[in-house]
Amino acid sequence: MTQKKPSETGDATKRSPLFCDSLFAYKRNITRAVQVGTIGIGGSHPVRLQSMTTTNSLETEATAEQCLRIARAGGELVRITTQGRREALNLEAIQQYIRHKGYDFPLVADIHFNPNAALLAAERVDKVRINPGNFADGAKKFRDIDYSADVYQAELADIESKLGPFLEVCRKNGTALRIGANHGSLSDRIMARYGDTPKGMVESCMEFLRICRRANFDNIVLSIKSSNTRVMVHTVRLLVATMRSEGMHYPLHLGVTEAGSGEDGRIKSAVGIGALLADGLGDTIRVSLTEDPEEEIPVARLLRDHVTGRPGHALIEEVSAESYQPYAYVKRSSHQVGIFGKGQPAAVVMDVRQGTAFENSQLVPEAVLVSSVDVSLPSAFSNCIRLVPRQYMPDRPVADVWPLLDVRSFLSDVRVEGHKVLEVRYSDLDAALLGALRKDEDVVLLLTSDHVNALAEQRAFFLALEENGLTHPVIVHRRYSDADLAHVQIKAAADTGLLFLDGYGDGISVAAPKLAIAGLVELHFGILQASRVRFSRTEFISCPGCGRTLFDLQTTTKKVRERTAHLKGLKIAIMGCIVNGIGEMADADYGYVGAGPGKISLFKNRALVMKALPEKEAVDRLIELIKDSGDWTEAPPLSNIF
């Protein structure tokens, strides 16, 4: 079998401690406890939920009332944009307003570019977030500078001179610190030495963390975020492994930046955050949606409760993890069986065996699991492969109909010729089944699980296949009894995204008999897109907004989505300001970024194309730019969709 080849990143980190205690048993990562006002983060404390205000931070009542709405929704701490001295001073008035209403939840100041504002904020709130990419370096200029060792060390010394006084103010006031690195705002210094890599993002955090350690300051929470879930997950894992190698155990804040709105934002957040929570990482989370901030809290709560309710689960038999590459994407090698495997796009397989409301959908799966060959399917599914239980197969071969077997029938003496699907669990993978699979390569495995920690059990299955040299394509299958599509979106994305982020899976199948087909089809494609393995529609990278936002982000995002959602495979970034705008849209095809009050700048492949356009004409100009660049196609008529 062709094993997963270690990448450069994998080789570099292979000697580091693993990022979690076990790949097969859920256990919270042990971190030091950090006190933030009235709550503790890390240690034995539960995973905390938080959000961030979108108001002008100088508007005391509006900001405080939004904080209260977040708290009433279940948010346990609230972050506030703090652009400068005036905003930092006004934090005191905001806090007094909140205390007067009878609430005492912690407030967090969000600082970019302004160490002086950080000093003032540290005297007034419970926690200050600083970004190592711009705390002392200023705005990222994307300059190509050749940093000598001396110049590099001189910049670090300058950072330490600015960070030291701030740490003393934090120490004096009992203020916690979040060192929060963002993929979109790495410093020129980091970019020059490490490039736009997970190692560079980790080092951006570690430089500041080592300075704090020299100052004997430990009241710290760390975060590394990206709008790219693959980058986010691999980088946070690498950060934890790096900390472990240096004897550090600071708590982690998790989030996917610019996740977007609606189901896309929820699925993307669940994939990224869920993949880390599943391995016990994360002490506080924020689901960043381009919606009112209080709407983020119920999503975060559902995600947290779903993933973290697994301690003490039934034993999962361990298997060698020698082939596992947790710090870089390496696709598992699989051979081809029809439409599955060997580098083909991950397939969508709808499971309608237990009666799902049939209807057409804009996106069409490649295959359908049905109870019999005569089941009537929506007209849009007419070309799908039908996977039918063996006992209900027609007497004669029928085009695009494959038998679905259980393990007993597969191991029987009666050989089934041609393409087939075998429904299997990790516990089925004994010597007899392994031997039978070695003799028959014309099999696709439908991997299912009812284990409480099904994700870990399914990961063990993939590792066992690799250990035994088997390359059969695998469809990742999960089943849910929920009648609420929003709940299934969060659960399924959290339960399957990690596998696709790690290069496993040649197809996905989510069974939810109580839900209609159209929403389920969208969910399948949404998980694959959020996991970065298959792009089937426009991807919108949109920030949630904050006090720095320079236009109506929610309304604008809706307008852009309505006019461009049909553009298959394009990435469009809609960013409120420049803090992360240019960096986070590094892999976007087009960018719409706030440049000043009522002004928008448009980018193509991170290059500025139109500067400071009036907001009222910017969406039209974006459409013109897409058309002029040859990336525009007309939306299909509704009659072809439903």
Side-chain angles (χ1 to χ4, degrees), residues 197-329:
T197 64
K199 186 171 178 59
M201 294 174 69
V202 169
E203 189 61 23
S204 182
C205 268
M206 294 302 296
E207 286 179 350
F208 273 60
L209 189 52
R210 294 179 189 118
I211 292 172
C212 293
R213 297 271 285 196
R214 287 196 291 271
N216 294 315
F217 185 86
D218 288 315
N219 205 24
I220 300 167
V221 178
L222 295 173
S223 71
I224 290 186
K225 295 187 179 183
S226 173
S227 62
N228 182 318
T229 54
R230 188 182 291 171
V231 170
M232 175 254 194
V233 169
H234 293 159
T235 305
V236 171
R237 289 173 176 171
L238 183 57
L239 173 63
V240 175
T242 303
M243 283 200 293
R244 286 187 169 200
S245 70
E246 298 188 27
M248 302 180 188
H249 303 278
Y250 293 98
L252 295 173
H253 168 72
L254 304 181
V256 178
T257 59
E258 290 79 46
S261 59
E263 70 174 64
D264 290 347
R266 286 160 173 75
I267 292 171
K268 193 172 186 179
S269 294
V271 165
I273 298 172
L276 294 165
L277 288 176
D279 282 321
L281 305 183
D283 302 281
T284 174
I285 64 174
R286 182 209 176 179
V287 173
S288 299
L289 302 175
T290 311
E291 301 175 22
D292 293 336
E294 59 267 28
E295 299 298 326
E296 299 176 348
I297 301 300
V299 180
R301 183 190 298 110
L302 174 61
L303 176 58
R304 177 197 64 185
D305 294 350
H306 175 64
V307 178
T308 60
R310 300 170 181 173
H313 60 68
L315 180 69
I316 296 172
E317 184 177 353
E318 296 193 10
V319 64
S320 172
E322 183 66 25
S323 63
Y324 188 50
Q325 294 295 320
Y327 308 115
Y329 180 76

Side-chain angles (χ1 to χ4, degrees), residues 161 198 561:
S161 70
R561 181 184 290 270

